[in-house]
């Protein structure tokens, strides 16, 4: 179980140094709890878009305690440096499991990594429709093992400024991942005063679609063979039929591959 007192200390230090995350405390709590409950699913986690490191420090705390690696990915070296400094101050030192990478998600995923088992990808970088689509396509092309959890922040974010009218995290998710369940996480705009539903910042007009959640989690399921989808668990008839059409050598190779490595 994650050490709540330890996270409390990290948050107090973040507040003291003026580096709180732009995510809400509810969002942070649910994200950390999700990570804690699913820690066994992978060896590392990724934050895309760190800004000043307000969430990075909490993810770094989790990674250090859980024995995972944390990759902090941002296109802007200025924010990577700020986040590194924030983690160092909030945790009283920089854990060796935290790695800062200047890249976008596709370039990061093209690099060597410790394994293909990712606990969670947290995406909070480019919120424009095309940017979110790029990130999702990078994940789908990545070869990361399934089931794979992806968390997006700023799901229902909107702007009134002309340059940002195409900020549509929600639309990109539903266009590309609409076949999957989309699970809300964090606050809901309009249910409390935390997320403004009307433009408040004069120049950009940032606000949230009323009723939309602050973020979402989408889990890409483990790939299933056609036979497994057709067969009922106790049946296996389609599987046997398909196997019987294969040459004996191929059947043997398949059987030993499915049996996994010998111990
Ligand atoms: C909303 S802030 C992140 C906030 C941070 N996660 C937090 O909780 O405080 C967005 C960050 O994404 C970075 N960014 C913008 N486009 C990006 C991209 N395509 N790939 C990676 N990072 C990006 C920006 O430099 C900025 O640091």
């Amino acid at each position: 179980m994650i050490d709540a007192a330890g996270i409390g200390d990290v948050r107090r230090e973040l507040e003291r140094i003026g580096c709180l995350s732009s995510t809400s405390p509810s969002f942070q709590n649910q994200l950390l709890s999700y990570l804690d409950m699913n820690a066994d699913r992978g060896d590392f986690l990724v934050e895309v878009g760190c800004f000043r490191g307000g969430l990075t420090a909490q993810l770094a705390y989790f990674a250090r305690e859980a024995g995972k690696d944390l990759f902090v990915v941002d296109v802007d070296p200025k924010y990577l440096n700020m986040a590194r400094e924030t983690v160092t101050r909030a945790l009283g030192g920089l854990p060796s499991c935290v790695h800062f990478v200047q890249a976008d998600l596709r370039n990061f995923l093209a690099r060597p990594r410790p394994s293909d088992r990712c606990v969670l990808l947290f995406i909070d970088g480019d919120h424009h429709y095309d940017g979110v689509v790029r990130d999702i396509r990078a994940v789908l092309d990545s070869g990361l093992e399934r089931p794979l959890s992806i968390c997006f922040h700023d799901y229902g974010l909107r702007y009134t400024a002309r340059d940002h009218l195409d900020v549509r995290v929600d639309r990109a998710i539903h266009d590309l991942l609409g076949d999957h369940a989309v699970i809300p996480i964090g606050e809901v705009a309009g249910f409390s005063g935390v997320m403004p539903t009307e433009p408040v910042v004069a120049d950009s007009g940032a606000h949230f679609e009323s009723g939309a959640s602050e973020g979402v989690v989408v889990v890409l399921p483990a790939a299933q063979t056609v036979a497994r989808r057709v067969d009922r668990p106790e049946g296996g008839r389609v599987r046997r039929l398909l196997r019987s059409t294969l040459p004996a050598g191929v059947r043997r190779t398949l059987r030993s591959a499915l049996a996994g490595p010998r111990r």
Side-chain angles (χ1 to χ4, degrees):
M1 205 67 83
I2 194 160
D3 175 9
I7 284 290
D9 291 342
V10 171
R11 287 183 184 167
R12 268 186 292 282
E13 185 58 15
L14 290 170
E15 187 162 20
R16 198 186 67 75
I17 62 179
C19 279
L20 286 172
S21 165
S22 52
T23 60
S24 74
S26 317
F27 181 90
Q28 296 163 26
N29 293 346
Q30 289 170 44
L31 182 63
L32 289 167
S33 178
Y34 187 92
L35 285 169
D36 195 36
M37 286 192 279
N38 292 283
D40 289 347
R41 289 192 177 277
D43 307 312
F44 66 96
L45 44 147
V46 182
E47 180 184 29
V48 181
C50 58
F51 194 46
R52 298 168 66 200
L55 191 62
T56 318
Q58 299 179 59
L59 297 176
Y61 180 87
F62 167 80
R64 188 184 68 186
E65 298 304 300
K68 311 289 171 189
D69 282 301
L70 167 64
F71 292 92
V72 184
V73 178
D74 201 297
V75 288
D76 192 331
K78 171 179 84 237
Y79 291 131
L80 285 166
N81 285 334
M82 284 172 112
R84 185 186 290 111
E85 178 64 24
T86 300
V87 173
T88 306
R89 290 176 75 174
L91 272 68
L94 185 63
S96 57
C97 64
V98 183
H99 317 277
F100 294 87
V101 185
Q102 187 190 344
D104 62 10
L105 185 53
R106 182 170 290 278
N107 283 313
F108 165 72
L109 289 172
R111 297 175 186 209
R113 49 184 180 248
S115 81
D116 282 339
R117 298 180 67 246
C118 178
V119 182
L120 179 120
L121 273 160
F122 172 59
I123 301 185
D124 193 14
D126 183 351
H127 293 120
H128 292 89
Y129 178 86
D130 289 346
V132 183
V133 166
R134 259 195 303 276
D135 284 345
I136 294 174
R137 291 224 165 100
V139 178
L140 295 175
D141 294 343
S142 69
L144 286 173
E145 259 181 37
R146 317 283 183 93
L148 174 63
S149 299
I150 317 172
C151 178
F152 298 86
H153 191 244
D154 285 334
Y155 175 75
L157 181 62
R158 303 283 185 270
Y159 284 94
T160 51
R162 194 139 32 110
D163 289 353
H164 297 309
L165 288 177
D166 59 337
V167 163
R168 284 302 298 262
V169 177
D170 53 349
R171 186 179 289 163
I173 292 169
H174 286 276
D175 283 354
L176 273 82
L177 302 173
D179 288 350
H180 307 288
V182 177
I183 305 152
I185 174 169
E187 294 285 344
V188 176
F191 283 20
S192 67
V194 178
M195 294 163 65
T197 53
E198 297 292 332
V200 281
V201 186
D203 55 351
S204 71
H207 62 287
F208 293 87
E209 182 82 23
S210 182
S213 69
E214 181 179 356
V216 294
V217 173
V218 180
V219 182
L220 305 185
Q224 286 189 323
T225 61
V226 174
R228 270 206 195 117
R229 256 182 268 162
V230 175
D231 274 344
R232 268 181 263 150
E234 74 279 7
R237 246 171 303 165
V238 176
R239 227 173 301 165
R240 277 201 297 279
L241 189 69
L242 284 175
R243 278 207 197 118
S244 70
T245 63
L246 299 169
V250 177
R251 275 207 303 271
R252 268 196 303 279
T253 315
L254 195 63
R255 220 180 358 252
S256 59
L258 289 174
R262 282 166 197 226
R263 288 166 198 276

